[in-house]
Amino acid sequence: EVQLVESGGGLVKPGGSLRLSCAASGLTFSSYSMNWVRQAPGKGLEWVSSISGNRDYTYYAPSVRGRFTISRDDAGNSLSLHLNSLRAEDTALYYCATDGYIYGDGAFDIWGQGTMVTVSS
Amino acid sequence: QSVLTQPPSASGTPGQRVTISCSGGSSNIGSNTVTWYQQFPGTAPKLLMYNYNQRPSGVPDRFSGSKSGTSASLAISGLQSQDEADYYCAAWDDSLSAVIFGGGTKLTVL
């Protein structure tokens, strides 16, 4: 069974940093693009970042570009998101999701349960 | 404000057919595939439709998708109480080099 488990969320002060992780199991992790998607409390989904399977490409939402960095450790089957210069508006539940594991590029077909990031003084 | 525009709410009675629209532009829906996600309160989103009108395994054929120009639609026929959820469309945007989600539509089964 394919499983994604996020961790690393918590309470951080504005301007602070955090590192989120997503542990993958049950799939050939290195073969697939991966994504981070977030959801602020009571709000809709917002795509944050993606990284290609060969790490050649990374993409970021304009709202986080220059502050967040996505990376992956294929040997360790894990995805990371480094969050810097955090703002109150970054408060959200952060999900990791596979891209095209079963259903082709652009289909976020496997999701984790999310890890909560709260930015507050 | 989302680049993909969805109605914030939709409703129907059991057995009815409901359609949720997703309006975009030439740089997203007009030139790239659309996916739809279903989300129940307190749970992670679930892929509902990919490549405009393809259903993942396990998704009932009551759900269907379509695209016309720069808009896409999700239709649910034979509406059931368990369909009550939030629905999101998404697409890649060539201008932004980013994935964009619609604002979401809360479906209520009356």
Side-chain angles (χ1 to χ4, degrees), chain A residues 9-59:
Chain A
L11 175 64
V12 61
K13 288 181 168 52
S17 299
L18 209 57
R19 177 177 177 265
L20 306 183
S21 297
C22 170
S25 59
L27 77 165
T28 307
F29 181 73
S30 60
S31 298
Y32 304 100
S33 294
M34 295 294 297
N35 294 267
W36 288 98
V37 177
R38 68 184 181 183
Q39 187 169 34
K43 303 296 184 183
L45 301 176
E46 180 188 14
W47 173 81
V48 174
S49 182
S50 69
I51 185 168
S52 60
N54 55 12
R55 282 174 285 178
D56 282 352
Y57 302 103
T58 58
Y59 298 97

Side-chain angles (χ1 to χ4, degrees), chain A residues 5 14 17 21-22 33 35 38 44 47 61 71 74 85 89 94 105 109 115 118 121:
Chain A
V5 179
S17 299
S21 297
C22 170
S33 294
N35 294 267
R38 68 184 181 183
W47 173 81
S71 61
D74 289 338
S85 303
E89 54 265 35
Y94 284 72
D105 290 345
D109 34 24
T115 186
T118 303
S121 54

Side-chain angles (χ1 to χ4, degrees), chain B residues 17-48:
Chain B
R17 184 177 189 269
V18 169
T19 301
I20 298 172
S21 62
C22 175
S23 177
S26 58
S27 62
N28 41 72
I29 294 177
S31 52
N32 295 294
T33 188
V34 174
T35 53
W36 289 90
Y37 300 89
Q38 179 188 54
Q39 186 181 33
F40 297 104
T43 69
K46 167 192 163 186
L47 179 67
L48 187 68

Side-chain angles (χ1 to χ4, degrees), chain A residues 102-103 107 109, chain B residues 36 46-50 54-60:
Chain A
I102 305 173
Y103 298 110
D109 34 24
Chain B
W36 289 90
K46 167 192 163 186
L47 179 67
L48 187 68
M49 198 76 57
Y50 66 100
Q54 301 299 301
R55 288 185 307 277
S57 175
V59 173

Side-chain angles (χ1 to χ4, degrees), chain A residues 47-105:
Chain A
W47 173 81
V48 174
S49 182
S50 69
I51 185 168
S52 60
N54 55 12
R55 282 174 285 178
D56 282 352
Y57 302 103
T58 58
Y59 298 97
Y60 297 92
S63 58
V64 307
R65 197 169 291 148
R67 300 188 299 122
F68 292 7
T69 302
I70 192 171
S71 61
R72 62 190 299 157
D73 173 7
D74 289 338
N77 281 4
S78 68
L79 175 73
S80 294
L81 186 68
H82 294 257
L83 292 67
N84 296 316
S85 303
L86 282 162
R87 307 165 181 167
E89 54 265 35
D90 295 318
T91 294
L93 185 62
Y94 284 72
Y95 295 100
C96 65
T98 59
D99 188 331
Y101 170 65
I102 305 173
Y103 298 110
D105 290 345

